[in-house]
Amino acid sequence: MSNFQTYIHRDEAKRSLQQAMGLLQPEDFCALFPFNFGNFLKYALRAPFRGAYSPNVASSLDDYAYALRSLERARRDLSTMPWFSEALIVYSPFACCFENQWVRKAMPITATRITEFDEAFALTAADLRQVINEGRDHQAELAKDRQHD
């Protein structure tokens, strides 16, 4: 394939991805994967908006906790469902459509093997644990401050 043909192919792929970004709904994206990973996607995509619309910030922390549990279960699914890693490889370019750090971290566009996704899942889970713990610590501090007022 010549450089010109490669350039055209990449340009067409970029255009297709931009079109898909406007059409791909989160629930459709979640449905492309096994249940546990679909749940991770659902909660990871929803969590940033929960605190914005709810006076109770705990609801976004709950969503992050659900996302973490689902991701840990999905990590086990990687070794038992061969089609799962294939779906991750095929659909990982669409992760950028949602502009969500957790989804992009769990689905690196460069990953091509189960071990790479397993690593990505582990790193994402560790980061989620840290965010959840920091959020709960912050809530505890706020509760103490309210008691002193």
Short mmCIF file of all heavy atoms in Angstrom, two decimals, residues 2-41:
data_model
loop_
_atom_site.label_atom_id
_atom_site.label_comp_id
_atom_site.label_asym_id
_atom_site.label_seq_id
_atom_site.Cartn_x
_atom_site.Cartn_y
_atom_site.Cartn_z
N SER A 2 0.63 2.16 -0.87
CA SER A 2 1.44 3.38 -0.95
C SER A 2 1.12 4.32 0.21
O SER A 2 0.11 4.16 0.89
CB SER A 2 1.19 4.10 -2.28
OG SER A 2 -0.09 4.71 -2.24
N ASN A 3 2.00 5.29 0.41
CA ASN A 3 1.77 6.27 1.47
C ASN A 3 0.47 7.03 1.24
O ASN A 3 -0.24 7.35 2.18
CB ASN A 3 2.93 7.25 1.57
CG ASN A 3 4.15 6.61 2.18
OD1 ASN A 3 4.03 5.59 2.85
ND2 ASN A 3 5.30 7.18 1.92
N PHE A 4 0.17 7.33 -0.02
CA PHE A 4 -1.05 8.06 -0.33
C PHE A 4 -2.28 7.24 0.06
O PHE A 4 -3.21 7.75 0.66
CB PHE A 4 -1.10 8.42 -1.82
CG PHE A 4 -2.36 9.15 -2.19
CD1 PHE A 4 -2.54 10.47 -1.81
CD2 PHE A 4 -3.37 8.53 -2.91
CE1 PHE A 4 -3.70 11.16 -2.14
CE2 PHE A 4 -4.53 9.19 -3.24
CZ PHE A 4 -4.70 10.51 -2.86
N GLN A 5 -2.26 5.94 -0.29
CA GLN A 5 -3.38 5.07 0.06
C GLN A 5 -3.54 4.95 1.57
O GLN A 5 -4.65 4.95 2.08
CB GLN A 5 -3.20 3.69 -0.56
CG GLN A 5 -3.40 3.67 -2.05
CD GLN A 5 -3.05 2.33 -2.64
OE1 GLN A 5 -2.09 1.69 -2.22
NE2 GLN A 5 -3.85 1.91 -3.61
N THR A 6 -2.42 4.87 2.28
CA THR A 6 -2.46 4.81 3.75
C THR A 6 -3.08 6.09 4.29
O THR A 6 -3.91 6.05 5.19
CB THR A 6 -1.04 4.62 4.33
OG1 THR A 6 -0.48 3.45 3.77
CG2 THR A 6 -1.08 4.52 5.84
N TYR A 7 -2.68 7.23 3.74
CA TYR A 7 -3.21 8.51 4.20
C TYR A 7 -4.72 8.57 3.98
O TYR A 7 -5.47 8.95 4.86
CB TYR A 7 -2.52 9.66 3.46
CG TYR A 7 -3.09 11.00 3.82
CD1 TYR A 7 -2.77 11.61 5.03
CD2 TYR A 7 -3.97 11.65 2.97
CE1 TYR A 7 -3.31 12.83 5.38
CE2 TYR A 7 -4.51 12.87 3.31
CZ TYR A 7 -4.17 13.46 4.52
OH TYR A 7 -4.71 14.67 4.86
N ILE A 8 -5.18 8.14 2.80
CA ILE A 8 -6.61 8.15 2.49
C ILE A 8 -7.35 7.22 3.46
O ILE A 8 -8.38 7.57 4.00
CB ILE A 8 -6.87 7.70 1.03
CG1 ILE A 8 -6.29 8.70 0.05
CG2 ILE A 8 -8.35 7.50 0.78
CD1 ILE A 8 -6.92 10.07 0.10
N HIS A 9 -6.78 6.03 3.69
CA HIS A 9 -7.41 5.07 4.59
C HIS A 9 -7.55 5.65 6.00
O HIS A 9 -8.60 5.55 6.61
CB HIS A 9 -6.59 3.78 4.61
CG HIS A 9 -7.13 2.73 5.53
ND1 HIS A 9 -8.28 2.04 5.25
CD2 HIS A 9 -6.68 2.28 6.72
CE1 HIS A 9 -8.54 1.20 6.23
NE2 HIS A 9 -7.57 1.32 7.14
N ARG A 10 -6.50 6.29 6.50
CA ARG A 10 -6.55 6.89 7.83
C ARG A 10 -7.57 8.03 7.88
O ARG A 10 -8.28 8.20 8.85
CB ARG A 10 -5.18 7.40 8.25
CG ARG A 10 -4.23 6.29 8.61
CD ARG A 10 -2.93 6.84 9.10
NE ARG A 10 -2.00 5.75 9.31
CZ ARG A 10 -0.70 5.87 9.23
NH1 ARG A 10 -0.16 7.04 8.94
NH2 ARG A 10 0.08 4.85 9.44
N ASP A 11 -7.61 8.80 6.80
CA ASP A 11 -8.54 9.91 6.74
C ASP A 11 -9.99 9.39 6.77
O ASP A 11 -10.84 9.93 7.47
CB ASP A 11 -8.30 10.74 5.48
CG ASP A 11 -9.05 12.05 5.49
OD1 ASP A 11 -9.07 12.70 6.55
OD2 ASP A 11 -9.62 12.41 4.45
N GLU A 12 -10.25 8.32 6.03
CA GLU A 12 -11.58 7.72 6.02
C GLU A 12 -11.93 7.15 7.40
O GLU A 12 -13.06 7.30 7.87
CB GLU A 12 -11.67 6.62 4.97
CG GLU A 12 -11.69 7.15 3.54
CD GLU A 12 -11.61 6.05 2.51
OE1 GLU A 12 -11.64 4.86 2.89
OE2 GLU A 12 -11.49 6.39 1.33
N ALA A 13 -10.96 6.53 8.04
CA ALA A 13 -11.19 5.97 9.37
C ALA A 13 -11.51 7.09 10.36
O ALA A 13 -12.41 6.96 11.20
CB ALA A 13 -9.97 5.18 9.83
N LYS A 14 -10.78 8.20 10.27
CA LYS A 14 -11.04 9.34 11.15
C LYS A 14 -12.44 9.89 10.94
O LYS A 14 -13.15 10.19 11.89
CB LYS A 14 -10.02 10.45 10.84
CG LYS A 14 -9.22 10.91 12.02
CD LYS A 14 -8.40 12.10 11.62
CE LYS A 14 -6.96 11.80 11.89
NZ LYS A 14 -6.11 12.94 11.61
N ARG A 15 -12.84 9.99 9.70
CA ARG A 15 -14.17 10.51 9.38
C ARG A 15 -15.25 9.56 9.91
O ARG A 15 -16.25 9.99 10.48
CB ARG A 15 -14.31 10.70 7.86
CG ARG A 15 -15.47 11.55 7.46
CD ARG A 15 -15.51 11.96 5.99
NE ARG A 15 -14.81 11.13 5.03
CZ ARG A 15 -13.60 11.44 4.51
NH1 ARG A 15 -12.97 12.53 4.88
NH2 ARG A 15 -13.02 10.65 3.63
N SER A 16 -15.04 8.27 9.77
CA SER A 16 -16.00 7.29 10.28
C SER A 16 -16.12 7.38 11.80
O SER A 16 -17.20 7.31 12.34
CB SER A 16 -15.57 5.87 9.92
OG SER A 16 -15.58 5.71 8.53
N LEU A 17 -14.98 7.57 12.46
CA LEU A 17 -14.99 7.69 13.92
C LEU A 17 -15.73 8.95 14.35
O LEU A 17 -16.53 8.92 15.28
CB LEU A 17 -13.56 7.70 14.45
CG LEU A 17 -13.39 7.70 15.96
CD1 LEU A 17 -14.08 6.51 16.59
CD2 LEU A 17 -11.93 7.72 16.33
N GLN A 18 -15.51 10.05 13.64
CA GLN A 18 -16.20 11.29 13.98
C GLN A 18 -17.71 11.15 13.78
O GLN A 18 -18.50 11.65 14.58
CB GLN A 18 -15.67 12.46 13.13
CG GLN A 18 -14.28 12.88 13.54
CD GLN A 18 -13.65 13.84 12.55
OE1 GLN A 18 -14.07 13.94 11.41
NE2 GLN A 18 -12.61 14.52 12.99
N GLN A 19 -18.12 10.44 12.74
CA GLN A 19 -19.55 10.20 12.53
C GLN A 19 -20.11 9.33 13.66
O GLN A 19 -21.20 9.59 14.17
CB GLN A 19 -19.79 9.54 11.18
CG GLN A 19 -19.58 10.47 10.02
CD GLN A 19 -19.65 9.73 8.68
OE1 GLN A 19 -19.53 8.51 8.63
NE2 GLN A 19 -19.83 10.49 7.61
N ALA A 20 -19.36 8.33 14.03
CA ALA A 20 -19.82 7.42 15.10
C ALA A 20 -19.94 8.15 16.43
O ALA A 20 -20.82 7.86 17.22
CB ALA A 20 -18.86 6.24 15.24
N MET A 21 -19.07 9.12 16.65
CA MET A 21 -19.11 9.86 17.92
C MET A 21 -20.45 10.54 18.10
O MET A 21 -20.95 10.65 19.20
CB MET A 21 -17.98 10.89 17.96
CG MET A 21 -16.62 10.26 18.17
SD MET A 21 -15.27 11.42 17.99
CE MET A 21 -15.49 12.43 19.44
N GLY A 22 -21.03 10.97 17.02
CA GLY A 22 -22.32 11.64 17.10
C GLY A 22 -23.48 10.67 17.22
O GLY A 22 -24.57 11.05 17.64
N LEU A 23 -23.27 9.42 16.87
CA LEU A 23 -24.36 8.44 16.83
C LEU A 23 -24.32 7.42 17.97
O LEU A 23 -25.34 6.86 18.32
CB LEU A 23 -24.31 7.67 15.50
CG LEU A 23 -24.46 8.51 14.24
CD1 LEU A 23 -24.27 7.63 13.01
CD2 LEU A 23 -25.80 9.20 14.20
N LEU A 24 -23.16 7.18 18.52
CA LEU A 24 -23.01 6.13 19.51
C LEU A 24 -23.51 6.59 20.88
O LEU A 24 -23.00 7.54 21.45
CB LEU A 24 -21.53 5.73 19.61
CG LEU A 24 -21.21 4.50 20.43
CD1 LEU A 24 -21.88 3.26 19.85
CD2 LEU A 24 -19.70 4.29 20.47
N GLN A 25 -24.52 5.92 21.37
CA GLN A 25 -25.09 6.21 22.68
C GLN A 25 -24.42 5.31 23.73
O GLN A 25 -24.06 4.17 23.42
CB GLN A 25 -26.60 5.96 22.68
CG GLN A 25 -27.36 6.90 21.78
CD GLN A 25 -27.25 8.34 22.25
OE1 GLN A 25 -27.41 8.63 23.42
NE2 GLN A 25 -26.97 9.24 21.32
N PRO A 26 -24.27 5.80 24.96
CA PRO A 26 -23.62 4.97 25.99
C PRO A 26 -24.25 3.59 26.16
O PRO A 26 -23.55 2.59 26.28
CB PRO A 26 -23.77 5.80 27.26
CG PRO A 26 -23.84 7.21 26.77
CD PRO A 26 -24.57 7.13 25.45
N GLU A 27 -25.59 3.53 26.15
CA GLU A 27 -26.22 2.21 26.35
C GLU A 27 -25.93 1.26 25.21
O GLU A 27 -25.80 0.05 25.41
CB GLU A 27 -27.72 2.33 26.58
CG GLU A 27 -28.48 2.83 25.39
CD GLU A 27 -29.19 4.15 25.63
OE1 GLU A 27 -28.91 4.83 26.60
OE2 GLU A 27 -30.04 4.49 24.80
N ASP A 28 -25.77 1.77 24.00
CA ASP A 28 -25.42 0.91 22.86
C ASP A 28 -23.99 0.42 22.99
O ASP A 28 -23.68 -0.73 22.67
CB ASP A 28 -25.59 1.67 21.54
CG ASP A 28 -27.03 2.10 21.30
OD1 ASP A 28 -27.95 1.38 21.74
OD2 ASP A 28 -27.23 3.16 20.69
N PHE A 29 -23.12 1.30 23.45
CA PHE A 29 -21.72 0.93 23.65
C PHE A 29 -21.60 -0.14 24.73
O PHE A 29 -20.89 -1.13 24.57
CB PHE A 29 -20.91 2.18 24.01
CG PHE A 29 -19.42 1.98 24.01
CD1 PHE A 29 -18.77 1.57 22.86
CD2 PHE A 29 -18.68 2.22 25.15
CE1 PHE A 29 -17.39 1.39 22.85
CE2 PHE A 29 -17.31 2.05 25.15
CZ PHE A 29 -16.66 1.64 24.00
N CYS A 30 -22.31 0.05 25.84
CA CYS A 30 -22.28 -0.92 26.95
C CYS A 30 -22.76 -2.30 26.50
O CYS A 30 -22.25 -3.32 26.96
CB CYS A 30 -23.14 -0.43 28.11
SG CYS A 30 -22.56 1.08 28.88
N ALA A 31 -23.72 -2.32 25.60
CA ALA A 31 -24.31 -3.58 25.16
C ALA A 31 -23.37 -4.41 24.28
O ALA A 31 -23.63 -5.58 24.03
CB ALA A 31 -25.61 -3.31 24.40
N LEU A 32 -22.27 -3.82 23.83
CA LEU A 32 -21.32 -4.53 22.98
C LEU A 32 -20.43 -5.50 23.77
O LEU A 32 -19.72 -6.29 23.19
CB LEU A 32 -20.41 -3.53 22.25
CG LEU A 32 -21.11 -2.59 21.27
CD1 LEU A 32 -20.14 -1.51 20.81
CD2 LEU A 32 -21.66 -3.37 20.10
N PHE A 33 -20.50 -5.41 25.09
CA PHE A 33 -19.58 -6.14 25.95
C PHE A 33 -20.33 -7.06 26.91
O PHE A 33 -21.54 -6.93 27.09
CB PHE A 33 -18.72 -5.14 26.75
CG PHE A 33 -17.92 -4.24 25.87
CD1 PHE A 33 -18.37 -2.96 25.58
CD2 PHE A 33 -16.73 -4.66 25.30
CE1 PHE A 33 -17.65 -2.12 24.74
CE2 PHE A 33 -16.01 -3.83 24.46
CZ PHE A 33 -16.46 -2.56 24.19
N PRO A 34 -19.59 -7.96 27.58
CA PRO A 34 -20.23 -8.80 28.60
C PRO A 34 -20.83 -7.94 29.71
O PRO A 34 -20.45 -6.78 29.90
CB PRO A 34 -19.08 -9.65 29.14
CG PRO A 34 -18.01 -9.59 28.13
CD PRO A 34 -18.18 -8.28 27.42
N PHE A 35 -21.74 -8.52 30.46
CA PHE A 35 -22.50 -7.81 31.48
C PHE A 35 -21.63 -7.00 32.43
O PHE A 35 -21.89 -5.82 32.67
CB PHE A 35 -23.35 -8.82 32.27
CG PHE A 35 -24.13 -8.19 33.37
CD1 PHE A 35 -25.32 -7.52 33.10
CD2 PHE A 35 -23.70 -8.26 34.69
CE1 PHE A 35 -26.05 -6.92 34.12
CE2 PHE A 35 -24.43 -7.67 35.71
CZ PHE A 35 -25.60 -7.01 35.42
N ASN A 36 -20.60 -7.62 33.01
CA ASN A 36 -19.79 -6.94 34.01
C ASN A 36 -19.06 -5.73 33.44
O ASN A 36 -19.03 -4.66 34.07
CB ASN A 36 -18.79 -7.90 34.66
CG ASN A 36 -19.48 -8.90 35.55
OD1 ASN A 36 -20.39 -8.57 36.30
ND2 ASN A 36 -19.07 -10.16 35.46
N PHE A 37 -18.50 -5.87 32.26
CA PHE A 37 -17.80 -4.72 31.68
C PHE A 37 -18.80 -3.66 31.23
O PHE A 37 -18.54 -2.46 31.35
CB PHE A 37 -16.90 -5.15 30.52
CG PHE A 37 -15.95 -4.06 30.10
CD1 PHE A 37 -14.90 -3.69 30.92
CD2 PHE A 37 -16.11 -3.40 28.90
CE1 PHE A 37 -14.02 -2.68 30.55
CE2 PHE A 37 -15.24 -2.39 28.53
CZ PHE A 37 -14.19 -2.03 29.35
N GLY A 38 -19.95 -4.08 30.75
CA GLY A 38 -21.01 -3.13 30.40
C GLY A 38 -21.44 -2.32 31.61
O GLY A 38 -21.66 -1.11 31.52
N ASN A 39 -21.53 -2.98 32.77
CA ASN A 39 -21.86 -2.27 34.01
C ASN A 39 -20.76 -1.29 34.40
O ASN A 39 -21.04 -0.18 34.84
CB ASN A 39 -22.09 -3.25 35.15
CG ASN A 39 -23.55 -3.57 35.32
OD1 ASN A 39 -24.41 -3.03 34.64
ND2 ASN A 39 -23.83 -4.46 36.25
N PHE A 40 -19.51 -1.72 34.25
CA PHE A 40 -18.41 -0.79 34.53
C PHE A 40 -18.56 0.46 33.68
O PHE A 40 -18.46 1.59 34.18
CB PHE A 40 -17.05 -1.45 34.26
CG PHE A 40 -15.96 -0.44 34.02
CD1 PHE A 40 -15.44 0.31 35.07
CD2 PHE A 40 -15.48 -0.20 32.74
CE1 PHE A 40 -14.46 1.27 34.85
CE2 PHE A 40 -14.51 0.75 32.50
CZ PHE A 40 -13.99 1.49 33.57
N LEU A 41 -18.80 0.27 32.38
CA LEU A 41 -18.95 1.41 31.48
C LEU A 41 -20.10 2.32 31.92
O LEU A 41 -19.97 3.54 31.96
CB LEU A 41 -19.17 0.93 30.04
CG LEU A 41 -18.00 0.22 29.37
CD1 LEU A 41 -18.45 -0.39 28.05
CD2 LEU A 41 -16.83 1.17 29.18
#
